mmCIF file of all heavy atoms in Angstrom:
data_model
loop_
_atom_site.group_PDB
_atom_site.id
_atom_site.type_symbol
_atom_site.label_atom_id
_atom_site.label_comp_id
_atom_site.label_asym_id
_atom_site.label_seq_id
_atom_site.Cartn_x
_atom_site.Cartn_y
_atom_site.Cartn_z
ATOM 1 N N PRO A 182 68.835 80.581 200.833
ATOM 2 C CA PRO A 182 69.371 81.906 201.159
ATOM 3 C C PRO A 182 70.797 81.826 201.707
ATOM 4 O O PRO A 182 71.204 80.807 202.282
ATOM 5 C CB PRO A 182 68.404 82.425 202.222
ATOM 6 C CG PRO A 182 67.150 81.648 202.020
ATOM 7 C CD PRO A 182 67.587 80.295 201.553
ATOM 8 N N VAL A 183 71.526 82.904 201.513
ATOM 9 C CA VAL A 183 72.895 83.002 202.003
ATOM 10 C C VAL A 183 72.899 83.824 203.287
ATOM 11 O O VAL A 183 72.370 84.936 203.327
ATOM 12 C CB VAL A 183 73.819 83.669 200.961
ATOM 13 C CG1 VAL A 183 75.252 83.706 201.480
ATOM 14 C CG2 VAL A 183 73.745 82.937 199.627
ATOM 15 N N HIS A 184 73.518 83.283 204.342
ATOM 16 C CA HIS A 184 73.638 83.972 205.620
ATOM 17 C C HIS A 184 74.971 84.707 205.619
ATOM 18 O O HIS A 184 76.020 84.133 205.927
ATOM 19 C CB HIS A 184 73.561 82.953 206.768
ATOM 20 C CG HIS A 184 73.709 83.567 208.123
ATOM 21 N ND1 HIS A 184 73.847 82.811 209.275
ATOM 22 C CD2 HIS A 184 73.763 84.860 208.540
ATOM 23 C CE1 HIS A 184 73.969 83.608 210.320
ATOM 24 N NE2 HIS A 184 73.933 84.847 209.902
ATOM 25 N N VAL A 185 74.936 85.977 205.275
ATOM 26 C CA VAL A 185 76.151 86.774 205.107
ATOM 27 C C VAL A 185 76.562 87.402 206.440
ATOM 28 O O VAL A 185 75.747 87.996 207.138
ATOM 29 C CB VAL A 185 75.923 87.876 204.057
ATOM 30 C CG1 VAL A 185 77.134 88.803 203.986
ATOM 31 C CG2 VAL A 185 75.651 87.262 202.689
ATOM 32 N N VAL A 186 77.838 87.250 206.775
ATOM 33 C CA VAL A 186 78.336 87.840 208.020
ATOM 34 C C VAL A 186 79.517 88.787 207.800
ATOM 35 O O VAL A 186 79.859 89.559 208.697
ATOM 36 C CB VAL A 186 78.753 86.747 209.033
ATOM 37 C CG1 VAL A 186 77.562 85.884 209.410
ATOM 38 C CG2 VAL A 186 79.889 85.885 208.476
ATOM 39 N N ARG A 187 80.132 88.753 206.617
ATOM 40 C CA ARG A 187 81.319 89.577 206.387
ATOM 41 C C ARG A 187 81.530 89.772 204.896
ATOM 42 O O ARG A 187 81.118 88.934 204.089
ATOM 43 C CB ARG A 187 82.552 88.888 206.995
ATOM 44 C CG ARG A 187 83.835 89.700 206.930
ATOM 45 C CD ARG A 187 84.948 89.038 207.753
ATOM 46 N NE ARG A 187 85.420 87.790 207.172
ATOM 47 C CZ ARG A 187 86.393 87.723 206.242
ATOM 48 N NH1 ARG A 187 86.968 88.833 205.799
ATOM 49 N NH2 ARG A 187 86.790 86.546 205.787
ATOM 50 N N GLY A 188 82.132 90.900 204.532
ATOM 51 C CA GLY A 188 82.487 91.148 203.149
ATOM 52 C C GLY A 188 83.862 91.772 203.045
ATOM 53 O O GLY A 188 84.281 92.539 203.916
ATOM 54 N N GLU A 189 84.569 91.435 201.988
ATOM 55 C CA GLU A 189 85.883 92.034 201.732
ATOM 56 C C GLU A 189 86.152 91.991 200.239
ATOM 57 O O GLU A 189 86.167 90.912 199.632
ATOM 58 C CB GLU A 189 86.975 91.284 202.481
ATOM 59 C CG GLU A 189 88.353 91.901 202.306
ATOM 60 C CD GLU A 189 89.428 91.166 203.094
ATOM 61 O OE1 GLU A 189 89.097 90.271 203.900
ATOM 62 O OE2 GLU A 189 90.610 91.501 202.918
ATOM 63 N N GLY A 190 86.334 93.166 199.639
ATOM 64 C CA GLY A 190 86.605 93.214 198.207
ATOM 65 C C GLY A 190 85.462 92.634 197.398
ATOM 66 O O GLY A 190 84.301 93.011 197.579
ATOM 67 N N VAL A 191 85.766 91.698 196.517
ATOM 68 C CA VAL A 191 84.731 91.109 195.655
ATOM 69 C C VAL A 191 84.057 89.904 196.294
ATOM 70 O O VAL A 191 83.243 89.245 195.648
ATOM 71 C CB VAL A 191 85.326 90.695 194.289
ATOM 72 C CG1 VAL A 191 85.890 91.899 193.550
ATOM 73 C CG2 VAL A 191 86.407 89.625 194.458
ATOM 74 N N PHE A 192 84.358 89.636 197.557
ATOM 75 C CA PHE A 192 83.822 88.430 198.198
ATOM 76 C C PHE A 192 82.918 88.749 199.385
ATOM 77 O O PHE A 192 83.157 89.696 200.139
ATOM 78 C CB PHE A 192 84.963 87.523 198.682
ATOM 79 C CG PHE A 192 85.758 86.917 197.556
ATOM 80 C CD1 PHE A 192 86.969 87.478 197.179
ATOM 81 C CD2 PHE A 192 85.286 85.795 196.878
ATOM 82 C CE1 PHE A 192 87.705 86.917 196.133
ATOM 83 C CE2 PHE A 192 86.016 85.232 195.835
ATOM 84 C CZ PHE A 192 87.223 85.800 195.463
ATOM 85 N N LEU A 193 81.876 87.929 199.523
ATOM 86 C CA LEU A 193 81.065 87.879 200.727
ATOM 87 C C LEU A 193 81.323 86.542 201.402
ATOM 88 O O LEU A 193 81.611 85.542 200.730
ATOM 89 C CB LEU A 193 79.571 88.004 200.383
ATOM 90 C CG LEU A 193 79.098 89.390 199.938
ATOM 91 C CD1 LEU A 193 77.671 89.318 199.397
ATOM 92 C CD2 LEU A 193 79.183 90.387 201.088
ATOM 93 N N TYR A 194 81.181 86.512 202.727
ATOM 94 C CA TYR A 194 81.456 85.302 203.492
ATOM 95 C C TYR A 194 80.244 84.951 204.335
ATOM 96 O O TYR A 194 79.626 85.819 204.957
ATOM 97 C CB TYR A 194 82.680 85.509 204.399
ATOM 98 C CG TYR A 194 83.952 85.759 203.611
ATOM 99 C CD1 TYR A 194 84.276 87.045 203.167
ATOM 100 C CD2 TYR A 194 84.807 84.715 203.291
ATOM 101 C CE1 TYR A 194 85.420 87.278 202.431
ATOM 102 C CE2 TYR A 194 85.966 84.940 202.553
ATOM 103 C CZ TYR A 194 86.263 86.220 202.128
ATOM 104 O OH TYR A 194 87.408 86.455 201.383
ATOM 105 N N ASP A 195 79.922 83.638 204.352
ATOM 106 C CA ASP A 195 78.766 83.219 205.140
ATOM 107 C C ASP A 195 79.185 82.843 206.560
ATOM 108 O O ASP A 195 80.364 82.955 206.944
ATOM 109 C CB ASP A 195 77.995 82.092 204.432
ATOM 110 C CG ASP A 195 78.739 80.761 204.387
ATOM 111 O OD1 ASP A 195 79.752 80.581 205.108
ATOM 112 O OD2 ASP A 195 78.285 79.869 203.638
ATOM 113 N N ALA A 196 78.228 82.381 207.334
ATOM 114 C CA ALA A 196 78.472 82.105 208.753
ATOM 115 C C ALA A 196 79.461 80.967 208.960
ATOM 116 O O ALA A 196 80.056 80.846 210.040
ATOM 117 C CB ALA A 196 77.150 81.784 209.443
ATOM 118 N N ASP A 197 79.642 80.136 207.940
ATOM 119 C CA ASP A 197 80.611 79.032 208.031
ATOM 120 C C ASP A 197 81.975 79.406 207.461
ATOM 121 O O ASP A 197 82.869 78.562 207.377
ATOM 122 C CB ASP A 197 80.069 77.800 207.297
ATOM 123 C CG ASP A 197 78.804 77.254 207.943
ATOM 124 O OD1 ASP A 197 78.733 77.245 209.190
ATOM 125 O OD2 ASP A 197 77.886 76.858 207.204
ATOM 126 N N GLY A 198 82.119 80.662 207.034
ATOM 127 C CA GLY A 198 83.391 81.113 206.489
ATOM 128 C C GLY A 198 83.570 80.868 205.010
ATOM 129 O O GLY A 198 84.640 81.123 204.459
ATOM 130 N N ARG A 199 82.535 80.379 204.328
ATOM 131 C CA ARG A 199 82.649 80.122 202.895
ATOM 132 C C ARG A 199 82.614 81.431 202.126
ATOM 133 O O ARG A 199 81.786 82.313 202.392
ATOM 134 C CB ARG A 199 81.510 79.225 202.415
ATOM 135 C CG ARG A 199 81.659 78.851 200.944
ATOM 136 C CD ARG A 199 80.476 78.092 200.395
ATOM 137 N NE ARG A 199 80.730 77.720 199.012
ATOM 138 C CZ ARG A 199 79.809 77.250 198.181
ATOM 139 N NH1 ARG A 199 78.566 77.058 198.605
ATOM 140 N NH2 ARG A 199 80.116 76.936 196.943
ATOM 141 N N ALA A 200 83.502 81.566 201.145
ATOM 142 C CA ALA A 200 83.567 82.773 200.323
ATOM 143 C C ALA A 200 82.655 82.640 199.110
ATOM 144 O O ALA A 200 82.591 81.584 198.469
ATOM 145 C CB ALA A 200 85.002 83.017 199.872
ATOM 146 N N TYR A 201 81.968 83.737 198.782
ATOM 147 C CA TYR A 201 81.144 83.826 197.575
ATOM 148 C C TYR A 201 81.637 84.995 196.739
ATOM 149 O O TYR A 201 81.754 86.124 197.251
ATOM 150 C CB TYR A 201 79.671 84.063 197.929
ATOM 151 C CG TYR A 201 79.010 82.922 198.652
ATOM 152 C CD1 TYR A 201 79.169 82.775 200.031
ATOM 153 C CD2 TYR A 201 78.241 81.985 197.970
ATOM 154 C CE1 TYR A 201 78.564 81.726 200.709
ATOM 155 C CE2 TYR A 201 77.625 80.939 198.643
ATOM 156 C CZ TYR A 201 77.798 80.812 200.010
ATOM 157 O OH TYR A 201 77.202 79.778 200.681
ATOM 158 N N LEU A 202 81.925 84.740 195.478
ATOM 159 C CA LEU A 202 82.286 85.812 194.560
ATOM 160 C C LEU A 202 81.027 86.625 194.279
ATOM 161 O O LEU A 202 80.067 86.120 193.702
ATOM 162 C CB LEU A 202 82.851 85.232 193.259
ATOM 163 C CG LEU A 202 83.266 86.241 192.184
ATOM 164 C CD1 LEU A 202 84.452 87.072 192.649
ATOM 165 C CD2 LEU A 202 83.604 85.519 190.879
ATOM 166 N N ASP A 203 81.018 87.882 194.706
ATOM 167 C CA ASP A 203 79.828 88.718 194.553
ATOM 168 C C ASP A 203 79.880 89.420 193.203
ATOM 169 O O ASP A 203 80.572 90.421 193.033
ATOM 170 C CB ASP A 203 79.748 89.734 195.685
ATOM 171 C CG ASP A 203 78.436 90.505 195.680
ATOM 172 O OD1 ASP A 203 77.629 90.304 194.747
ATOM 173 O OD2 ASP A 203 78.219 91.307 196.604
ATOM 174 N N ALA A 204 79.124 88.895 192.259
ATOM 175 C CA ALA A 204 79.064 89.477 190.920
ATOM 176 C C ALA A 204 77.707 90.107 190.659
ATOM 177 O O ALA A 204 77.270 90.217 189.514
ATOM 178 C CB ALA A 204 79.367 88.412 189.870
ATOM 179 N N TYR A 205 77.037 90.523 191.726
ATOM 180 C CA TYR A 205 75.686 91.073 191.577
ATOM 181 C C TYR A 205 75.477 92.386 192.320
ATOM 182 O O TYR A 205 74.765 93.263 191.856
ATOM 183 C CB TYR A 205 74.653 90.055 192.052
ATOM 184 C CG TYR A 205 73.237 90.577 191.937
ATOM 185 C CD1 TYR A 205 72.694 90.860 190.681
ATOM 186 C CD2 TYR A 205 72.469 90.828 193.056
ATOM 187 C CE1 TYR A 205 71.412 91.373 190.559
ATOM 188 C CE2 TYR A 205 71.186 91.341 192.940
ATOM 189 C CZ TYR A 205 70.665 91.611 191.685
ATOM 190 O OH TYR A 205 69.398 92.121 191.573
ATOM 191 N N ASN A 206 76.097 92.553 193.452
ATOM 192 C CA ASN A 206 75.769 93.663 194.353
ATOM 193 C C ASN A 206 76.468 94.944 193.929
ATOM 194 O O ASN A 206 77.602 95.201 194.322
ATOM 195 C CB ASN A 206 76.159 93.284 195.786
ATOM 196 C CG ASN A 206 75.727 94.301 196.802
ATOM 197 O OD1 ASN A 206 75.249 95.370 196.469
ATOM 198 N ND2 ASN A 206 75.901 93.966 198.063
ATOM 199 N N ASN A 207 75.780 95.772 193.132
ATOM 200 C CA ASN A 207 76.408 97.004 192.674
ATOM 201 C C ASN A 207 76.403 98.101 193.731
ATOM 202 O O ASN A 207 76.982 99.164 193.532
ATOM 203 C CB ASN A 207 75.715 97.522 191.415
ATOM 204 C CG ASN A 207 74.350 98.116 191.699
ATOM 205 O OD1 ASN A 207 73.526 97.495 192.378
ATOM 206 N ND2 ASN A 207 74.084 99.286 191.176
ATOM 207 N N VAL A 208 75.743 97.867 194.868
ATOM 208 C CA VAL A 208 75.742 98.867 195.941
ATOM 209 C C VAL A 208 77.172 99.113 196.423
ATOM 210 O O VAL A 208 77.620 100.246 196.536
ATOM 211 C CB VAL A 208 74.839 98.416 197.100
ATOM 212 C CG1 VAL A 208 74.935 99.389 198.261
ATOM 213 C CG2 VAL A 208 73.397 98.290 196.631
ATOM 214 N N ALA A 209 77.876 98.026 196.706
ATOM 215 C CA ALA A 209 79.289 98.134 197.098
ATOM 216 C C ALA A 209 80.125 98.239 195.823
ATOM 217 O O ALA A 209 80.832 97.322 195.427
ATOM 218 C CB ALA A 209 79.693 96.926 197.926
ATOM 219 N N SER A 210 80.050 99.397 195.185
ATOM 220 C CA SER A 210 80.634 99.553 193.848
ATOM 221 C C SER A 210 82.146 99.376 193.835
ATOM 222 O O SER A 210 82.720 98.964 192.834
ATOM 223 C CB SER A 210 80.276 100.922 193.277
ATOM 224 O OG SER A 210 80.703 101.956 194.156
#
């Protein structure tokens, strides 16, 4: 699982500050 703590634009960030390209979450359209 991903521990998400922040989001900005097309990226989500985990607790260690790693960026994930979010290509799935259509809620944040």
Side-chain angles (χ1 to χ4, degrees):
V183 182
H184 179 189
V185 174
V186 298
R187 185 171 69 87
E189 183 178 352
V191 299
F192 292 99
L193 288 170
Y194 296 85
D195 70 13
D197 296 321
R199 184 186 183 192
Y201 294 82
L202 179 66
D203 188 356
Y205 179 65
N206 186 353
N207 73 311
V208 175
S210 56

